[in-house]
Amino acid sequence: MFDKNREFEPFDSKLWLSSPTMHGTELEYVREAYQTNWMSTIGANINEIENQICQKTGCKYAVALSSGTAALHLAVKLAGESLCKGKMEGAGSLSGVLCACSDMTFAATVNPVVYEGGIPVFIDAEYDTWNMDAEALEKAFEIYPDIKIVVAAHLYGTPGRVDEIKAVCEKYGAVFIEDAAESLGASYKGMPTGSLGEYGCISFNGNKIITGSSGGMLLTDEKGAADRAKKWSAQSRENAPWYQHEELGYNYRMSNVVAGVVRGQIPYLEEHIRGKKEIYERYKEGLKGLPAGMNPYDEENSVPNHWLSCLLIEPEGMACQERGDCDTLYIPEHGKSCPTEILEAVSSIHAEGRPIWKPMHMQPIYQKRAFVTREGMTKADAGKGADGMLLDVGRDIFHRGVCLPSDNKMTAEQQERVIEVVRACFE
Ligand SMILES: *Cc1c(COP(=O)(O)O)cnc(C)c1O
């Protein structure tokens, strides 16, 4: 438990979970956009970053968009198009189509499926990578053979078991969409994440590994798909003297100003990843001996970008903690702690942590949807078994895990202070 009377010196200015790390070069490209008056959704910055991201990921085509969520939306539309040819004139083109989605993730992985009328089936996470469990995915196909699309995220920059997931997709003829919003620069068996599915989506949101202040990209190897996404993103104008429309359009294209920020950041991707890895290793070392471990990854097959460093408390190290829909309580106990206590302790020194992504099957909006674990359980809210044990992996990691301050501008000394505070939680 954390002794609230113990004095830890708070940071003068807040230590963020993960805030933009800027370098100055961004301003040059933004200024260039301004001076040449390419202030709209066309320009050299957009062209340049599309090329650079293609080179970095090995994808043939990249389409710069206003957000990662927009990229996921267009990816879902493209996947739907190959399923129901010729019926894409409206919204809701996935009406009634079952889509298997990561369960423990940010809601933006899943919402685009619902924008199109698709029905999400949530797939439990696995302990080894915290990502979609391929065995649970297989179970889901056994129960719901009509699943047509699989959307899987690489959480916190840690690649999931892509080969196993792809094998299941191929076996059942489903389209695989990769949500690589958090994992730009991470790789799986030597291949960059974002390039491993039919469609890949990345994000340049302010808290991601590199940023454009906002923005995202759709990645694909199909020219036709890239062309259609680009057209849809710019209101679906046909080639005509007036505004001629055959399809529903969206205002999803990236601004050349935002692209300038991204262009200034891309050269620093590797440096950011090195910094995040040092943060992860420092936590790993500094928190040794506690009844807790860092977010794991497949060391043999993957290289994460270590976007966020997270701690998972072992069951023996957990103080009693209960979470309602919007509130939480715990009972302090010597020698143990819990995410709520760690978040409070870290916050008391003016640093920002965050709970693990609350699984989708526990969210009021999605609670009634199907949810499939390794055991094949499909009740959306499986909860606790008779012995009080948590029954699904996502719920368990949400219960015992916590994201620690992972900002690249955090100094080693600052991080040592965070480590001291986290250690004090277990005294
Ligand atoms: C950030 C994020 C998104 C959405 O990206 P935006 O650019 O913020 O729209 C989607 N999925 C995951 C897993 C994310 O972390």
Side-chain angles (χ1 to χ4, degrees), residues 319-324 327-332 338 340 344 399:
C320 180
Q321 170 194 257
E322 284 294 335
R323 280 173 168 162
D327 47 9
T328 173
L329 278 176
Y330 67 96
I331 304 172
C338 62
T340 306
E344 283 179 10
H399 183 66

Side-chain angles (χ1 to χ4, degrees), residues 67-69 72 105-106 108-109 153 179 181-182 203-205 208 215 357:
S67 69
T69 310
L72 280 153
T105 183
F106 184 38
T109 305
D179 178 355
E182 301 179 359
S203 166
F204 302 114
N205 193 342
K208 300 283 156 66
W357 294 124

Side-chain angles (χ1 to χ4, degrees), residues 183-200:
S183 68
L184 181 63
S187 61
Y188 173 81
K189 297 190 179 173
M191 302 281 284
T193 59
S195 72
L196 304 162
E198 263 98 323
Y199 309 106

Side-chain angles (χ1 to χ4, degrees), residues 3 52 102 131 151 158 198 208 227 247 251 257 276 281 289 302 321 334 356 362 380 408 422:
D3 179 357
Q52 290 182 10
S102 290
N131 289 308
V151 190
T158 297
E198 263 98 323
K208 300 283 156 66
D227 288 345
E247 295 180 289
N251 186 2
V257 177
K276 295 281 191 182
E281 298 295 344
S302 72
Q321 170 194 257
H334 280 292
I356 298 299
M362 296 171 68
N408 260 334
V422 174

Side-chain angles (χ1 to χ4, degrees), residues 70-351:
L72 280 153
H73 188 185
L74 298 188
V76 162
K77 279 185 77 82
L78 284 165
E81 193 185 42
S82 61
L83 296 172
C84 28
K85 288 214 165 25
K87 292 192 296 184
M88 293 298 288
E89 68 281 357
S93 56
L94 282 182
S95 184
V97 174
L98 293 175
C99 304
C101 302
S102 290
D103 175 59
M104 194 175 77
T105 183
F106 184 38
T109 305
V110 179
N111 290 341
V113 161
V114 181
Y115 298 164
E116 289 303 314
I119 301 172
V121 173
F122 297 112
I123 311 298
D124 199 8
E126 53 164 24
Y127 285 112
D128 293 349
T129 68
W130 294 12
N131 289 308
M132 183 184 277
D133 181 351
E135 266 188 58
L137 180 65
E138 174 109 45
K139 272 278 185 312
F141 275 100
E142 287 166 13
I143 302 167
Y144 303 102
D146 288 338
I147 292 172
K148 299 287 187 224
I149 297 173
V150 174
V151 190
H154 302 292
L155 220 64
Y156 301 130
T158 297
R161 285 190 203 286
V162 176
D163 276 358
E164 284 86 339
I165 291 171
K166 272 170 100 165
V168 177
C169 290
E170 272 157 32
K171 180 170 165 187
Y172 293 93
V175 180
F176 176 41
I177 297 173
E178 229 190 327
D179 178 355
E182 301 179 359
S183 68
L184 181 63
S187 61
Y188 173 81
K189 297 190 179 173
M191 302 281 284
T193 59
S195 72
L196 304 162
E198 263 98 323
Y199 309 106
C201 304
I202 59 176
S203 166
F204 302 114
N205 193 342
N207 64 4
K208 300 283 156 66
I209 191 89
I210 56 169
T211 187
S213 73
S214 64
M217 267 189 201
L218 174 81
L219 309 177
T220 177
D221 282 339
E222 277 174 68
K223 182 167 194 313
D227 288 345
R228 281 194 302 290
K230 204 185 250 180
K231 176 188 171 193
W232 293 340
S233 78
Q235 306 287 18
S236 292
R237 274 186 83 172
E238 298 298 332
N239 189 12
W242 41 79
Y243 277 83
Q244 176 83 6
H245 301 289
E246 293 175 10
E247 295 180 289
L248 196 63
Y250 300 85
N251 186 2
Y252 277 175
R253 192 72 167 134
M254 184 186 278
S255 140
N256 192 49
V257 177
V258 165
V261 181
V262 176
R263 190 175 173 185
Q265 287 260 295
I266 289 176
Y268 294 94
L269 175 62
E270 282 76 25
E271 182 181 313
H272 287 193
I273 294 173
R274 275 198 299 280
K276 295 281 191 182
K277 186 177 162 73
E278 279 171 23
I279 290 170
Y280 180 90
E281 298 295 344
R282 209 175 284 126
Y283 275 129
K284 193 169 182 172
E285 191 57 36
L287 298 172
K288 261 192 185 144
L290 296 180
M294 299 301 294
N295 48 329
Y297 61 96
D298 178 353
E299 295 184 28
E300 201 176 314
N301 294 311
S302 72
V303 182
N305 71 6
H306 297 289
W307 175 55
L308 292 188
S309 286
C310 310
L311 192 71
L312 185 70
I313 303 171
E314 286 164 18
E316 313 81 76
M318 274 291 290
C320 180
Q321 170 194 257
E322 284 294 335
R323 280 173 168 162
D325 260 351
C326 297
D327 47 9
T328 173
L329 278 176
Y330 67 96
I331 304 172
E333 191 179 337
H334 280 292
K336 298 184 176 189
S337 191
C338 62
T340 306
E341 185 177 53
I342 291 173
L343 290 169
E344 283 179 10
V346 162
S347 159
S348 77
I349 60 162
H350 216 194

